[in-house]
Amino acid sequence: DLHLTEQCQQSCIDLLRRDPGNYHALDYGLAALMELGDLEGGKEIIELASRQEDDPHLMYQTAVARMMRGEEEWARGVFERFLQEDPEEVGTYINLMRIHHLAERYDKVEELYQEASRRGLDHEDLHFNMGLALKARKRDREAAPYFVKTVRRSGEIPDAHFHLAQILRSEGHPRLAMAMLQREMMVDDTQPGVHAEMAWCAEDIGEYEEAVRMIRAAVERAPDWGIYQHSLAELMLKAEQDAEEAEKIARQAVKLDPEQAAGWQVLGRLAAEREDYSDAERMLRKAVAARDSTAEDEGWLGLLLADSDRRQAARPFLERAARTFPFWTPVGDALGRIRGHA
């Protein structure tokens, strides 16, 4: 019960103000603050517990609390000492793997995993953290089996389904990815990233109406995340939905994150449909200059320039688009006409 946990934490704080070394107040107080996630509200408890260097249990709990509070390097020193004293404690490996992952020391994560495996230790969090380290190093195919091991051992780490789904989608298996994401949504339906990933899987298989529905769910859960607004505007065009609403969403998207391409592309294409070619070119050039620009953005700009009889300016954009999308008929036709005039 959350209310009782809050009462417990406050009672422990009150007791520690009278008796700073009270073991039970420190122990229960640390447990309560970690349950609540109130690491600032429990700062007094953490500071007092940090002084109990002769008590292994309190020091370990304090290291976990300080790790959760962002003091990873302090916690790392404690966990490394514990690992030397007890190299069979799986939780210590897991905590150290998390700390090294946050510091992007992925080689250390792999070393800890190998050492734990050599000692015959087996835990879903070991596999999960190993998978994360490999995925962070762009070694997705090597990471996938570790996420599979995680979900086979436990359904209590829904992020494992998410990361496995991302790998499956990147490997060209969007339907399998959707099955993984559905499992995660059964455990936790609140994460916007899961709904967004589901939307992009649906887009990959041409189910644009479903893609719009799922990306709307992501926007509802994270309205300030520009990437989801950009994607919603783009998917609405693909689903041939309300262009006026798509334009409104695209304008919101580029305000939230002007470095994403999709919103600019939507605004450019809609401006071209209104025959506002100057505005269309300005928007599409912003799409091409964005940090996540793709050959599709170049294709739309190339088509606009070709329609404006600026063939040589259009040619490099169209050629790059054609290499990525060889079956994009308007691009191929425009490029053929340009080459015919050469």
Side-chain angles (χ1 to χ4, degrees):
D1 182 275
L2 186 62
H3 179 65
L4 290 175
T5 307
E6 290 173 342
Q7 285 184 324
C8 175
Q9 178 176 307
Q10 189 56 52
S11 296
C12 290
I13 291 172
D14 293 341
L15 179 55
L16 288 167
R17 285 172 180 166
R18 298 192 302 272
D19 180 6
N22 188 292
Y23 175 87
H24 295 296
L26 290 170
D27 190 22
Y28 292 136
L30 284 170
L33 70 89
M34 285 189 282
E35 178 72 22
L36 292 167
D38 183 16
L39 300 172
E40 284 307 309
K43 187 175 181 179
E44 290 180 66
I45 299 173
I46 294 173
E47 293 303 322
L48 289 169
S50 299
R51 302 173 192 171
Q52 309 301 313
E53 295 184 7
D54 294 332
D55 190 294
H57 173 72
L58 285 178
M59 284 305 294
Y60 197 96
Q61 292 297 91
T62 304
V64 173
R66 292 185 72 158
M67 178 180 70
M68 292 171 63
R69 201 169 72 171
E71 299 177 68
E72 291 91 0
E73 291 308 305
W74 189 96
R76 175 188 169 191
V78 174
F79 290 134
E80 285 178 343
R81 290 198 300 274
F82 270 90
L83 194 62
Q84 288 177 350
E85 294 169 8
D86 183 3
E88 303 294 326
E89 173 51 51
V90 69
T92 308
Y93 287 94
I94 292 166
N95 286 322
L96 282 170
M97 288 171 78
R98 288 171 178 162
I99 289 170
H100 286 302
H101 182 90
L102 288 170
E104 299 183 3
R105 295 187 290 259
Y106 304 123
D107 56 333
K108 293 291 186 182
V109 177
E110 292 187 49
E111 286 175 18
L112 284 161
Y113 182 87
Q114 297 300 338
E115 177 61 20
S117 297
R118 189 180 69 79
R119 293 182 177 277
L121 302 177
D122 185 24
H123 191 282
E124 55 267 25
D125 278 314
L126 287 173
H127 305 311
F128 179 66
N129 282 286
M130 181 63 172
L132 286 180
L134 291 168
K135 189 167 181 278
R137 299 175 95 167
K138 311 298 182 186
R139 292 160 60 184
D140 285 6
R141 289 191 178 183
E142 293 176 69
Y146 294 99
F147 293 128
V148 171
K149 287 181 182 179
T150 304
V151 299
R152 282 180 176 169
R153 278 191 56 88
S154 171
E156 299 302 312
I157 306 180
D159 279 356
H161 293 102
F162 177 74
H163 288 289
L164 185 53
Q166 285 188 317
I167 293 171
L168 287 167
R169 178 172 169 255
S170 71
E171 293 290 322
H173 305 291
R175 292 186 187 278
L176 287 175
M178 291 175 82
M180 285 290 110
L181 293 166
Q182 284 166 352
R183 290 185 188 181
E184 174 153 358
M185 290 168 71
M186 290 172 65
V187 177
D188 183 1
D189 190 40
T190 65
Q191 298 302 313
V194 177
H195 292 272
E197 197 68 27
M198 183 74 90
W200 298 327
C201 287
E203 178 187 11
D204 287 349
I205 59 178
E207 294 182 359
Y208 299 125
E209 295 285 342
E210 175 65 8
V212 170
R213 188 178 73 82
M214 296 307 300
I215 203 67
R216 279 192 191 277
V219 170
E220 287 170 4
R221 288 159 174 78
D224 295 331
W225 284 38
I227 186 172
Y228 302 146
Q229 301 265 12
H230 277 273
S231 188
L232 175 56
E234 183 180 35
L235 288 169
M236 286 183 70
L237 281 196
K238 289 188 175 182
E240 299 181 353
Q241 294 186 0
D242 187 347
E244 187 175 333
E245 184 189 359
E247 183 170 6
K248 180 181 176 182
I249 291 167
R251 292 194 184 282
Q252 291 172 347
V254 298
K255 284 182 181 178
L256 284 169
D257 187 352
E259 295 302 314
Q260 291 273 336
W264 294 116
Q265 186 203 110
V266 168
L267 293 172
R269 289 166 62 188
L270 292 174
E273 288 181 11
R274 294 194 300 270
E275 299 183 359
D276 185 351
Y277 299 120
S278 175
D279 196 42
E281 181 177 347
R282 184 172 64 87
M283 298 298 182
L284 289 171
R285 285 193 181 278
K286 284 181 178 291
V288 168
R291 67 171 179 266
D292 66 339
S293 181
T294 68
E296 183 180 354
D297 302 309
E298 294 193 286
W300 287 111
L301 178 57
L303 288 170
L304 180 73
L305 294 172
D307 288 344
S308 305
D309 289 328
R310 284 179 284 172
R311 297 187 184 92
Q312 294 313 308
R315 184 168 184 163
F317 296 112
L318 293 171
E319 286 178 337
R320 285 191 287 272
R323 284 196 292 271
T324 304
F325 304 105
F327 302 110
W328 190 352
T329 302
V331 166
D333 290 347
L335 198 53
R337 289 194 296 272
I338 290 170
R339 288 167 176 163
H341 281 87

